[in-house]
Amino acid sequence: MNVLFIASECTPFIKTGGLADVIGSLPSSLKKTGVNVSIMLPNYSDIPEEYKERMTLVKTLTVHVGWRKQYCGLMKIVHQDMTYYFIDNEYYFKRKGLYGHYDDGERFAFFNHAVIDVLPYLDEKPQVIHCHDWQTGLIPAYIKTMYTYQPFYRDIKTVFTIHNLMYQGIYPATIFQDLLNFSDEHYFGIEFNGCINFMKAALFHADILTTVSETYSKEIQYPYFGENLDNILGHRKEDLHGIVNGLDYDEYNPQTDPYIFKNFKHSPIEKLVNKLLLQEELGLPKAEDIPMIAIVSRFVEQKGFPLITHVLEELLSLDIQLVILGTGDAEFEHAFKDAAYRYPEKVSTRVTFSEPLARKIYAASDLFLMPSRFEPCGIGQLIALRYESVPIVRETGGLKDTIVPYDEFTSSGNGFSFTHYNAHDMLYTIKRAIEFYHDKDHWFTLLENVYQANYSWEHSAKRYTDLYMKTLKG
Ligand code: GLC
């Protein structure tokens, strides 16, 4: 079975968030189930030179973007046994950063049109096209409308995965005439609230919809999480499946990770070496018995930072160390820098993104805090489990599906969690975690459960394969 993934980011080529990790790791697990996957991405200038050098040109063609005729190069690399295609156009993709340009609507309209036009020139014709997030949302719409009369496209099935419903690709209705290549009768399939909406276009047209956890697939059918699209998702609930993301267990492996101070597996003693050396590196007091709580995240509202800033003083009155790494909204960056300035013995804040430091923090910390307001899946809690740092999460989306709260009576659970989006509920849960941290019988029982957790891709890859089969039969 030939499946083509289409996305706007993918490790190791280009990454801004968790989407890139999924696109960079799920295909190799799918391959093990017998699916032949290739991946297609924009050829951004930010892709490192080592990969650019290895690209070969497959085909050049002219792509229509409304009335414009634009150059498109189809490039290709085979990397670790996987074929990657890149859509090349310097006018649209030779820029710093992936998103946030004034003409993102035009850039991704071009990308979507180009993807459709290059399909006949791939090594193998895809039977299923698996699109990810709004940047690819028009592709299922074109295949199911303008292209259904062309024999090459007629039998291609489309799967669309929602990684985050909050980002939809919303543009003024005028782009319909100006940038898109639909005939008028298809306007209502891609319009929402008087605007063109790339995400809605996909939700309306794709054969199968998926999202990245079972709980999020249910949550988004309600207004609180539905970002205005809850009704349409409710209408499509028979075709909407929640499949939890896995983690690349080879890439994230504390036994072999080259970035951490000391490799370890199921060994609190060796993990402690990482903690002491990180304390030294960050200028925190070297202390074995003070719980180190880690935050590694984008600093945005979605991730629950308003809860943390709301109770920061109370939190810092506890005997803890807080290690914070990430970048994002200025208000949170300031709050955390300020906390580090006022509590140098307790807080270390690094406003940057550094993969090596992130790994050291996962390896060193005792607890990992992720109180998201909503979380389609989340990857931080999975990396934390893998590096034997106990997650404290809010029960939403993928956090709810992967973290089971510790129950001291049955000794079950692999973390701590709270239900309501409330700062003092979070604080109470952190205090509970700290109490158990100091009660070594419970703590070691909890760690045993953490060691048992397995969130690699195998199971979820199988579920995607079953869906591809189902849609091909249907
Ligand atoms: C988005 C979501 C995150 C998810 C990731 C990969 O970044 O916010 O929860 O883990 O996509 O699916």
Side-chain angles (χ1 to χ4, degrees):
M1 184 195 325
N2 292 327
V3 176
L4 178 66
F5 268 41
I6 305 177
S8 59
E9 40 186 286
C10 172
T11 57
F13 305 103
I14 191 92
K15 167 170 171 170
T16 70
L19 170 65
D21 292 291
V22 173
I23 307 303
S25 58
L26 170 57
S28 58
S29 296
L30 286 171
K31 227 170 196 176
K32 288 181 197 140
T33 71
V35 181
N36 180 26
V37 192
S38 32
I39 297 115
M40 191 174 286
L41 306 159
N43 190 18
Y44 304 102
S45 48
D46 284 354
I47 294 173
E49 204 45 46
E50 57 180 297
Y51 302 116
K52 294 245 179 209
E53 275 168 9
R54 288 167 41 205
M55 291 182 187
T56 55
L57 181 66
V58 179
K59 176 90 190 154
T60 59
L61 54 169
T62 301
V63 167
H64 292 253
V65 182
W67 51 268
R68 301 161 192 77
K69 289 184 181 154
Q70 302 290 25
Y71 165 85
C72 166
L74 174 64
M75 319 289 287
K76 180 180 146 179
I77 293 188
V78 177
H79 178 71
Q80 294 179 346
D81 233 13
M82 194 77 67
T83 302
Y84 295 87
Y85 295 101
F86 295 86
I87 298 292
D88 186 48
N89 175 303
E90 292 200 343
Y91 171 67
Y92 291 124
F93 298 127
K94 191 176 177 181
R95 317 225 181 150
K96 270 272 148 269
L98 277 60
Y99 321 117
H101 297 285
Y102 74 97
D103 57 349
D104 280 359
E106 179 175 338
R107 296 168 69 229
F108 287 99
F110 163 77
F111 178 60
N112 284 229
H113 298 168
V115 167
I116 300 276
D117 288 355
V118 301
L119 292 181
Y121 305 105
L122 308 187
D123 292 348
E124 276 148 318
K125 174 179 168 176
Q127 294 158 282
V128 177
I129 293 197
H130 189 161
C131 297
H132 299 265
D133 268 357
W134 75 264
Q135 294 86 351
T136 63
L138 300 180
I139 294 164
Y142 280 119
I143 291 184
K144 297 297 156 185
T145 59
M146 306 301 287
Y147 287 79
T148 78
Y149 305 107
Q150 295 196 25
F152 178 85
Y153 294 89
R154 189 166 31 221
D155 55 353
I156 296 179
K157 300 292 181 188
T158 54
V159 176
F160 182 81
T161 296
I162 304 164
H163 292 264
N164 193 335
L165 194 61
M166 191 164 81
Y167 305 101
Q168 299 180 1
I170 299 174
Y171 297 98
T174 47
I175 77 161
F176 187 77
Q177 297 291 349
D178 188 36
L179 297 176
L180 307 188
N181 305 333
F182 289 100
S183 54
D184 286 353
E185 73 266 31
H186 301 305
Y187 177 72
F188 288 101
I190 58 171
E191 175 270 354
F192 189 72
N193 275 350
C195 292
I196 296 302
N197 184 317
F198 281 48
M199 174 75 79
K200 139 90 197 259
L203 302 185
F204 192 78
H205 292 97
D207 292 305
I208 300 249
L209 302 174
T210 78
T211 186
V212 290
S213 68
E214 189 69 43
T215 295
Y216 193 60
S217 77
K218 300 285 182 298
E219 287 173 339
I220 54 179
Q221 296 179 43
Y222 293 94
Y224 183 80
F225 295 97
E227 307 284 351
N228 298 322
L229 295 175
D230 39 296
N231 265 328
I232 169 162
L233 286 159
H235 282 299
R236 296 224 50 197
K237 64 169 183 272
E238 301 301 324
D239 303 314
L240 172 62
H241 304 265
I243 304 180
V244 73
N245 288 337
L247 186 71
D248 184 336
Y249 267 39
D250 297 324
E251 176 62 31
Y252 293 101
N253 183 353
Q255 273 186 290
T256 56
D257 194 323
Y259 296 127
I260 66 179
F261 293 109
K262 185 160 182 44
N263 292 118
F264 64 97
K265 185 187 181 187
H266 303 178
S267 164
I269 306 283
E270 286 175 345
K271 191 172 156 67
L272 185 61
V273 176
N274 286 286
K275 179 169 166 181
L276 294 170
L277 289 171
L278 185 67
Q279 287 167 333
E280 192 175 306
E281 181 174 317
L282 298 178
L284 291 168
K286 281 185 129 182
E288 288 183 19
D289 288 330
I290 297 179
M292 180 189 282
I293 305 179
I295 296 172
V296 179
S297 180
R298 276 183 301 127
F299 299 160
V300 291
E301 186 269 348
Q302 174 201 335
K303 301 290 177 182
F305 286 104
L307 299 190
I308 301 175
T309 48
H310 193 73
V311 293
L312 200 52
E313 294 306 313
E314 286 169 83
L315 184 61
L316 293 177
S317 70
L318 307 175
D319 194 16
I320 60 167
Q321 289 183 347
L322 195 57
V323 174
I324 304 170
L325 172 67
T327 60
D329 295 351
E331 90 180 90
F332 303 123
E333 291 187 354
H334 288 157
F336 295 141
K337 275 196 217 160
D338 177 61
Y341 177 73
R342 288 186 297 115
Y343 296 90
E345 309 274 284
K346 286 191 171 177
V347 185
S348 163
T349 301
R350 293 288 161 102
V351 178
T352 171
F353 195 78
S354 151
E355 189 65 31
L357 183 56
R359 303 289 184 99
K360 285 180 186 167
I361 294 175
Y362 284 112
S365 56
D366 302 294
L367 292 156
F368 182 83
L369 181 60
M370 196 166 170
S372 305
R373 181 170 64 80
F374 72 93
E375 195 61 73
C377 179
I379 187 171
Q381 83 280 18
L382 302 181
I383 305 175
L385 284 177
R386 182 78 169 139
Y387 286 71
E388 303 169 17
S389 178
V390 177
I392 303 174
V393 304
R394 174 158 178 265
E395 291 156 15
T396 183
L399 296 175
K400 183 170 178 186
D401 293 353
T402 55
I403 304 305
V404 182
Y406 183 64
D407 178 335
E408 65 269 45
F409 303 107
T410 61
S411 304
S412 61
N414 59 7
F416 296 93
S417 66
F418 58 101
T419 307
H420 297 294
Y421 191 65
N422 174 296
H424 282 91
D425 285 6
M426 177 190 74
L427 187 63
Y428 171 82
T429 307
I430 295 173
K431 287 182 179 164
R432 201 174 116 78
I434 294 170
E435 271 165 37
F436 284 118
Y437 170 83
H438 290 298
D439 181 335
K440 289 302 168 201
D441 280 349
H442 280 295
W443 190 249
F444 289 132
T445 309
L446 173 53
L447 284 180
E448 280 302 324
N449 298 341
V450 168
Y451 303 159
Q452 298 310 318
N454 182 344
Y455 290 103
S456 61
W457 270 111
E458 277 111 65
H459 182 69
S460 298
K462 173 101 189 28
R463 287 203 52 206
Y464 280 112
T465 308
D466 291 345
L467 278 184
Y468 300 149
M469 304 273 220
K470 187 176 141 198
T471 174
L472 282 173
K473 279 192 199 129

